[in-house]
Amino acid sequence: MKEAKRQQRKKREKNRNFPERLGHKHQRKRDLFCSAQEIPCIWELQIIRHIKTSTMDETSDEPPTSVVLLDNCHFSQVVFNNVEKFYVPGGDITCYYTLTQNIVPRGKDWVGIFRVGWKTTREYYTFMWAPLPGDVHGDTAVQQQIQFKGYYLPKDDEYYQFCYVDQDGVVRGASVPFQFRAETEDDILVVTTQGEVEEIELRNKNLHKENEELKASCASLQKQNSDLQEELKKTQVNKKELQDSLESLKSNAEKLELELNSLKKENEHLKEWGDCKETELLQIKEQIQNVTSDKERLEIRLKTALDHVDQLQSQVLNYEKEVESLSHMDHDKTEQLESLKEENRQLRMARTQQQQTRDLMKELEEQKCLFQVLQAKKNEADEENRKLMEENNRLLRHLFQAAEASSFSVSQAQAPVRAPEVGGLLFGNPYYAAGTNPGAGDADIASIRKCPMCDEVFPEDIETSQYEAHVQSHLLECPLCSETFEKSNKQVFDDHVFCHGLE
């Protein structure tokens, strides 16, 4: 019989890949191996990613559970004490645990027995409701205990552990694993060969390495636990503030209740007094009917007035939009006025003739009110300038043709020749020179290559394109109407272009 049990135990050891029991010489290695084998089942960090907490009624017999995200659990908030490695099957067991100051127990908290390797808190084997301590909000650790009846305990020899679960279904503490089986004499010593011992030592080294990794994971979980404890402290502070607010509301409710009692007494007095005033009440009812009719009429008038107010509001909104648009226009006009003022200041400094400056300033100041008059004058001036440009171009062509046919020398070109007068030219006759012989022929005029702007004389062999380019360098042409101005009168040119902008 004992041999059959031993063979069955060895078979379980082979399936679990670790020795069940060792002799006293290897007892320490056995404990390390078991701990390293069991801890991954408890501290598995990546099995589930979302919590779905079950909501339970107050009258439900089932404990609140959830799909546990183990890296969000706080296994250090409840510490289980004096957990045996083996419990006798069929007997009652007492679970001892300590509630630390980091947890606030609630009425739906429970302690369950779970098979090692559980994934969610719904996989409990049995459970007991956790009793509330005397001081729920105390700042010190509290020792608690629960007794599980042997009838409800597991009957197999698998590994189990205690877990403390709060009413939100979140695990707050877990114990070391244990088994439900009797510890007999044949469990004391198992004879192993040297090869098995070496294999066990190699496994222990690997398990030691895994244990170090688990310690690092545990440190990370402890850090997370400390962060959550800070959040819990903040939550407790907020809870205290809410309790203070609740106390204040309770005191206000008591005051309101006193006022309500006083009002009830006054109401009883008024009822007694109202019995004597029935006649007046009838008169008041008649007055109320009259007031009601007046009220209906006033409501109709009020509705009409409200509709009128809505219309006025819409009109006001339209007016506000128009005012805003006018404000933008006024802002633009102001900027233009500032620009005009700056140009006027430059004009006063640049203009050599004071009379023309005063005329331009006067025109700029009155340009808003005389815009239509200036537009008509501008059209006439554009027409006149066009005619003058045609006349000027005709004279330039005549001059260039005469210059090509000229055979006189530069010295003869400098001889004074008076050009025929041409009335109404914008720049005067560019081929006119003081003291010109009025009897000179067309050949003398054609031989002159003198700039009408700077009086520079060019040799007769100069190309016509070069001469035209030199003359054009002294002129400014309006990009809108092609009217030309001398560069010395740049302010007049700028005023001319600005007038186009006002159009």
Side-chain angles (χ1 to χ4, degrees):
M1 186 69 177
K2 293 182 180 180
E3 185 64 22
K5 288 184 178 179
R6 187 180 295 108
Q7 293 296 332
Q8 186 179 3
R9 189 177 298 110
K10 286 184 179 180
K11 185 177 180 180
R12 285 198 303 269
E13 291 170 357
K14 183 176 180 181
N15 293 332
R16 294 177 185 173
N17 200 19
F18 68 92
E20 185 74 28
R21 297 283 292 174
L22 295 175
H24 296 288
K25 180 178 180 181
H26 304 292
Q27 182 67 28
R28 185 181 178 191
K29 294 181 179 180
R30 178 261 176 195
D31 293 339
L32 177 61
F33 186 90
C34 291
S35 298
Q37 183 71 17
E38 295 158 2
I39 289 175
C41 297
I42 304 172
W43 301 95
E44 184 67 44
L45 300 178
Q46 297 178 348
I47 51 176
I48 302 174
R49 292 298 179 191
H50 299 283
I51 293 179
K52 296 181 179 178
T53 305
S54 302
T55 57
M56 303 297 295
D57 297 334
E58 292 296 332
T59 59
S60 176
D61 293 334
E62 294 295 327
T65 60
S66 67
V67 180
V68 178
L69 184 63
L70 290 179
D71 52 4
N72 289 332
C73 295
H74 312 283
F75 293 97
S76 63
Q77 294 183 356
V78 177
V79 180
F80 288 89
N81 307 318
N82 303 327
V83 179
E84 301 292 340
K85 295 180 181 179
F86 305 99
Y87 290 99
V88 178
D92 299 343
I93 62 173
T94 303
C95 172
Y96 300 93
Y97 61 93
T98 301
L99 298 175
T100 65
Q101 62 272 18
N102 297 323
I103 185 173
V104 178
R106 292 179 288 180
K108 281 289 185 176
D109 293 356
W110 54 282
V111 178
I113 296 178
F114 291 79
R115 180 178 294 177
V116 171
W118 56 273
K119 305 298 182 181
T120 69
T121 54
R122 298 173 183 172
E123 299 178 13
Y124 65 91
Y125 187 89
T126 184
F127 79 98
M128 292 290 292
W129 295 111
L132 288 175
D135 187 6
V136 177
H137 300 285
D139 294 335
T140 59
V142 180
Q143 300 289 336
Q144 295 286 93
Q145 66 180 22
I146 294 178
Q147 188 176 37
F148 288 88
K149 297 298 183 180
Y151 177 78
Y152 299 101
L153 297 178
K155 302 300 187 291
D156 56 15
D157 58 351
E158 296 291 336
Y159 281 89
Y160 292 87
Q161 62 182 153
F162 297 113
C163 290
Y164 187 96
V165 185
D166 63 10
Q167 71 177 17
D168 295 326
V170 179
V171 179
R172 300 297 181 179
S175 70
V176 297
F178 55 85
Q179 287 181 292
F180 290 95
R181 68 184 181 87
E183 185 174 6
T184 58
E185 293 181 357
D186 56 351
D187 293 325
I188 296 176
L189 179 62
V190 176
V191 178
T192 59
T193 63
Q194 183 65 28
E196 291 176 348
V197 171
E198 291 176 356
E199 184 181 357
I200 292 170
E201 290 178 352
L202 179 60
R203 291 176 181 175
N204 287 337
K205 289 180 181 179
N206 295 331
L207 292 173
H208 182 70
K209 183 178 179 181
E210 292 179 3
N211 193 16
E212 293 296 330
E213 295 176 356
L214 290 172
K215 286 181 179 179
S217 300
C218 183
S220 175
L221 291 172
Q222 287 177 352
K223 181 179 179 182
Q224 183 181 4
N225 186 22
S226 62
D227 295 338
L228 292 175
Q229 287 177 358
E230 292 294 331
E231 293 181 2
L232 180 61
K233 290 180 180 179
K234 293 180 181 178
T235 305
Q236 290 177 351
V237 172
N238 294 333
K239 182 179 179 181
K240 185 176 180 182
E241 293 177 355
L242 291 174
Q243 288 178 349
D244 296 338
S245 176
L246 180 62
E247 293 296 332
S248 176
L249 291 175
K250 286 181 179 179
S251 62
N252 292 333
E254 292 176 356
K255 293 180 181 179
L256 291 174
E257 187 175 0
L258 293 175
E259 293 179 359
L260 180 62
N261 294 330
S262 176
L263 290 174
K264 286 181 180 179
K265 292 179 180 180
E266 292 180 0
N267 190 19
E268 292 177 356
H269 177 70
L270 289 174
K271 284 181 179 179
E272 294 176 357
W273 179 79
D275 294 336
C276 301
K277 299 293 182 179
E278 290 180 356
T279 305
E280 294 180 1
L281 180 61
L282 293 175
Q283 296 177 355
I284 291 172
K285 286 183 179 180
E286 293 177 358
Q287 292 178 0
I288 288 174
Q289 292 178 354
N290 296 330
V291 170
T292 303
S293 60
D294 293 339
K295 179 183 176 183
E296 292 176 353
R297 289 194 299 269
L298 290 174
E299 286 179 349
I300 295 172
R301 292 177 60 186
L302 178 60
K303 184 178 180 181
T304 305
L306 289 174
D307 295 336
H308 184 61
V309 167
D310 292 337
Q311 296 176 359
L312 291 176
Q313 286 180 350
S314 62
Q315 293 178 1
V316 167
L317 292 175
N318 295 330
Y319 290 153
E320 288 179 352
K321 292 180 180 178
E322 293 178 0
V323 168
E324 185 178 358
S325 177
L326 292 174
S327 175
H328 289 303
M329 293 176 62
D330 183 65
H331 180 68
D332 296 338
K333 295 291 184 181
T334 303
E335 291 181 352
Q336 293 179 2
L337 183 60
E338 293 296 330
S339 177
L340 289 174
K341 287 181 180 179
E342 181 64 22
E343 291 177 0
N344 288 335
R345 186 183 65 81
Q346 296 177 359
L347 182 62
R348 286 197 299 271
M349 297 174 61
R351 297 287 296 272
T352 58
Q353 297 179 359
Q354 188 65 28
Q355 184 62 34
Q356 293 180 356
T357 303
R358 288 197 298 269
D359 293 339
L360 287 175
M361 287 295 295
K362 185 176 180 181
E363 290 177 1
L364 290 175
E365 292 174 356
E366 298 176 354
Q367 59 181 342
K368 290 184 179 180
C369 61
L370 299 178
F371 176 73
Q372 296 179 355
V373 177
L374 291 175
Q375 183 66 32
K377 289 182 179 181
K378 176 187 172 299
N379 294 333
E380 295 176 0
D382 291 342
E383 182 65 23
E384 185 178 355
N385 287 334
R386 186 182 63 78
K387 294 178 180 180
L388 290 175
M389 285 293 296
E390 293 177 357
E391 180 68 18
N392 193 13
N393 292 332
R394 185 182 64 79
L395 290 174
L396 287 174
R397 288 193 300 272
H398 178 71
L399 175 61
F400 296 150
Q401 293 173 2
E404 291 176 356
S406 176
S407 61
F408 292 96
S409 62
V410 177
S411 61
Q412 290 174 345
Q414 293 177 350
V417 177
R418 186 174 69 179
E421 295 182 359
V422 179
L425 290 179
L426 178 62
F427 305 112
N429 191 344
Y431 317 110
Y432 173 81
T436 303
N437 186 3
D442 294 338
D444 295 335
I445 296 174
S447 65
I448 296 175
R449 284 181 178 272
K450 184 177 181 180
C451 179
M453 304 300 172
C454 62
D455 296 333
E456 182 179 354
V457 178
F458 296 89
E460 63 180 0
D461 57 349
I462 189 172
E463 292 183 2
T464 303
S465 59
Q466 295 179 357
Y467 178 74
E468 290 178 354
H470 176 78
V471 174
Q472 289 295 332
S473 65
H474 291 288
L475 300 177
L476 295 172
E477 184 177 355
C478 177
L480 301 176
C481 65
S482 300
E483 186 176 350
T484 57
F485 298 88
E486 295 182 15
K487 276 192 175 180
S488 60
N489 293 331
K490 187 176 184 303
Q491 187 62 42
V492 178
F493 172 75
D494 293 339
D495 295 340
H496 175 79
V497 174
F498 180 71
C499 289
H500 282 298
L502 294 177
E503 296 175 1

